[in-house]
């Protein structure tokens, strides 16, 4: 049993951190790419806290794809949010299906990151947006988290800002990283 299978109730209870300010920040990064009623993929979206808030605030149709059924079981019923079990590295969607994708606190958990980015580029239309919120692997707190995740048999595969930008560009997504405070940063990019 994986980390998220058993920890889903804890993450639902203590991990729902999306207040108006946070949702507004994420929505601001995505809004240049996703118009009203546009379609957004929340990859590794877990219990759906962000997806529901974005659907409510921006009138977006949000699809959550996540490997863990126990996480998706907590996604609230919502007319503009659907959830599917599936892997970032082999997504069950047609090409150019989405206007944008958001990945929050999940990219370092993907076991095949090159395949996941290739898939993001395939399912997001050319000119669409890719927003990834991650943590800098050089920060001491992240080194400890990476170690703990590996002990829990998770990849714990964190990047620096420069590494993530270069990696995304190699896979057809050009963008920039902005530091958010502490070890957090965001990559905002456009599919070529
Ligand atoms: C720390 S949780 C983050 C959940 C949510 N995005 C948030 O910010 O609260 C990481 C999520 O990534 C999912 N995940 C891990 N590997 C995945 C993969 N290969 N494809 C899709 N989802 C994956 C896990 O099941 C889990 O729900």
């Amino acid at each position: 049993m994986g980390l998220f299978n058993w920890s889903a109730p804890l993450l639902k209870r203590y991990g729902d951190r999306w207040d108006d300010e946070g949702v507004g920040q994420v929505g601001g990064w995505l809004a240049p790419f996703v118009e009203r009623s546009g379609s957004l993929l929340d990859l590794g979206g877990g219990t759906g806290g962000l997806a529901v808030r974005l659907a409510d605030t921006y009138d977006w149709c949000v699809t959550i794809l996540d490997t863990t059924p126990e996480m998706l079981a907590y996604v609230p019923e919502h007319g503009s949010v659907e959830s599917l079990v599936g892997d970032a590295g082999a997504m069950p969607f047609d090409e150019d299906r989405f206007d944008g994708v958001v990945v929050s606190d999940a990219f370092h958990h993907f076991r095949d990151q090159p395949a996941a980015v290739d898939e993001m580029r395939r399912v997001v239309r050319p000119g669409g947006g890719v927003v990834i919120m991650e943590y800098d692997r050089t920060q001491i707190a992240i080194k400890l988290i990476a170690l703990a995740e590996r002990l829990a048999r998770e990849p714990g595969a964190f990047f620096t800002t420069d590494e993530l930008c270069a990696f995304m560009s190699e896979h057809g997504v050009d963008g920039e990283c902005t530091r958010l405070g502490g070890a957090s940063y965001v990559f905002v990019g456009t599919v070529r």
Side-chain angles (χ1 to χ4, degrees), residues 4 11 15-18 42-50 65-69 71-72 86-89 103-112 116 149 154:
F4 295 105
L11 289 170
D16 193 3
R17 61 201 180 284
W18 296 107
D42 185 352
L43 190 55
T47 57
L50 178 61
L65 186 75
D66 197 292
T67 42
T68 310
M71 295 287 281
L72 293 178
D87 193 306
V103 189
S104 162
D105 191 18
F107 192 72
H108 59 274
H109 290 288
F110 296 166
R111 292 192 187 277
D112 190 342
E149 289 193 356
E154 283 294 309

Side-chain angles (χ1 to χ4, degrees), residues 28-91:
W29 295 321
L30 289 162
F33 307 101
V34 190
E35 294 183 351
R36 193 181 163 92
S37 302
S39 58
L40 175 71
L41 173 63
D42 185 352
L43 190 55
T47 57
L50 178 61
V52 167
R53 297 293 311 277
L54 289 173
D56 282 340
T57 308
Y58 294 93
D59 267 340
W60 292 335
C61 301
V62 186
T63 300
I64 304 170
L65 186 75
D66 197 292
T67 42
T68 310
E70 290 85 348
M71 295 287 281
L72 293 178
Y74 289 103
V75 176
E77 288 287 325
H78 191 292
S80 299
V81 177
E82 64 168 352
S83 56
L84 287 87
V85 177
D87 193 306
M91 298 192 210

Side-chain angles (χ1 to χ4, degrees), residues 81-101:
V81 177
E82 64 168 352
S83 56
L84 287 87
V85 177
D87 193 306
M91 298 192 210
F93 306 119
D94 292 338
E95 60 186 49
D96 303 345
R97 160 83 171 71
F98 298 100
D99 299 304
V101 56

